Amino acid sequence: MNLSFFDQFTSPCLLGIPLILLSMLFPALLLPTPNNRWITNRLSTLQLWLFHLITKQLMTPLNKNGHKWALILTSLMVLLLATNLLGLLPYTFTPTTQLSMNMALAFPLWLATLLTGLRNQPSISLGHLLPEGTPTPLIPALIMIETTSLLIRPLALGVRLTANLTAGHLLIQLISTATITLLPLVPTVSILTTLILLLLTILEVAVAMIQAYVFVLLLSLYLQENI
């Protein structure tokens, strides 16, 4: 029984085809078809407004040198939003509940921001490891602490996204299992748990969007430190 709770973190298959591949095709259907007009319908207007809003929010803390990363950060934001939200659909799979995928996204981008700082302003980037005015006896300890905090950043990015989504999905499954179990025994309590499940689902949608935003926002802040 306990093992079945974690079956949702394995990709379901139909005729040997992972259903996550089919579900990830749905956002592509929303993309506007090539046309000689920029905006062809209200859906295109909504999409352009959403992309503009995401790009504006991500580029606000960055200076002009960081605007070169606009395409990468916006694309990452859209990818995380799509995968997080598609994972809430029945018979689908959330790839971002896997720490391996999140680390594969976090580590290269964090390393790119770090190497950018070491190439453009090495003295300032290395100066972050030792705060100004540090007493001499504390210098070795502070350098080790700051280095550890710097190296743990990609792990924190990946674990934060994985833990939040995994906990939410497990909680939804636990409450839904309780709702089905209580339905023939105590219908009144089952109705109450159904309302709780509905509210929790709405909360999970918000968490899916917020965690995608936080992931990319922290990357943009790391980038700002190095440019």
Side-chain angles (χ1 to χ4, degrees):
M1 182 66 179
N2 293 332
L3 293 177
S4 64
F5 288 149
F6 295 92
D7 289 343
Q8 59 176 314
F9 302 116
T10 59
S11 179
C13 295
L14 179 64
L15 301 178
I17 302 175
L19 294 182
I20 183 59
L21 298 179
L22 298 177
S23 63
M24 291 186 72
L25 293 177
F26 289 136
L29 301 177
L30 300 177
L31 297 177
T33 55
N35 198 293
N36 57 356
R37 298 167 55 191
W38 278 103
I39 300 177
T40 56
N41 51 39
R42 295 178 181 176
L43 180 60
S44 299
T45 305
L46 180 61
Q47 290 173 347
L48 290 176
W49 172 81
L50 180 61
F51 291 151
H52 173 74
L53 179 64
I54 292 174
T55 306
K56 180 180 177 181
Q57 292 295 326
L58 295 178
M59 293 299 107
T60 299
L62 300 178
N63 55 27
K64 289 186 178 180
N65 292 329
H67 292 178
K68 301 174 184 177
W69 290 64
L71 181 59
I72 296 176
L73 295 179
T74 304
S75 301
L76 178 62
M77 178 77 175
V78 174
L79 172 66
L80 292 177
L81 274 176
T83 53
N84 290 353
L85 293 176
L86 285 173
L88 295 174
L89 296 176
Y91 301 104
T92 57
F93 166 68
T94 312
T96 43
T97 56
Q98 307 299 312
L99 184 60
S100 57
M101 176 177 175
N102 295 335
M103 290 300 298
L105 292 174
F107 183 76
L109 292 172
W110 166 82
L111 185 61
T113 62
L114 183 62
L115 294 179
T116 299
L118 292 175
R119 185 189 66 179
N120 295 335
Q121 44 184 19
S123 59
I124 297 178
S125 297
L126 294 176
H128 291 157
L129 301 179
L130 184 62
E132 187 177 356
T134 303
T136 304
L138 297 179
I139 288 178
L142 277 179
I143 290 179
M144 293 179 61
I145 293 173
E146 291 296 331
T147 303
T148 304
S149 66
L150 179 65
L151 296 178
I152 209 173
R153 281 179 174 181
L155 181 62
L157 282 175
V159 170
R160 181 187 296 108
L161 183 58
T162 302
N164 280 283
L165 295 180
T166 302
H169 287 204
L170 283 176
L171 193 56
I172 286 178
Q173 183 158 358
L174 285 171
I175 295 180
S176 61
T177 303
T179 302
I180 296 174
T181 304
L182 291 173
L183 183 59
L185 302 176
V186 190
T188 306
V189 178
S190 179
I191 294 174
L192 293 177
T193 54
T194 303
L195 294 177
I196 296 175
L197 181 62
L198 178 60
L199 295 176
L200 183 61
T201 303
I202 297 174
L203 178 63
E204 253 325 279
V205 172
V207 168
M209 294 187 291
I210 291 172
Q211 288 303 316
Y213 175 70
V214 168
F215 187 95
V216 183
L217 180 63
L218 288 176
L219 276 176
S220 66
L221 293 177
Y222 297 158
L223 177 63
Q224 177 60 28
E225 290 182 0
N226 292 285
I227 55 175

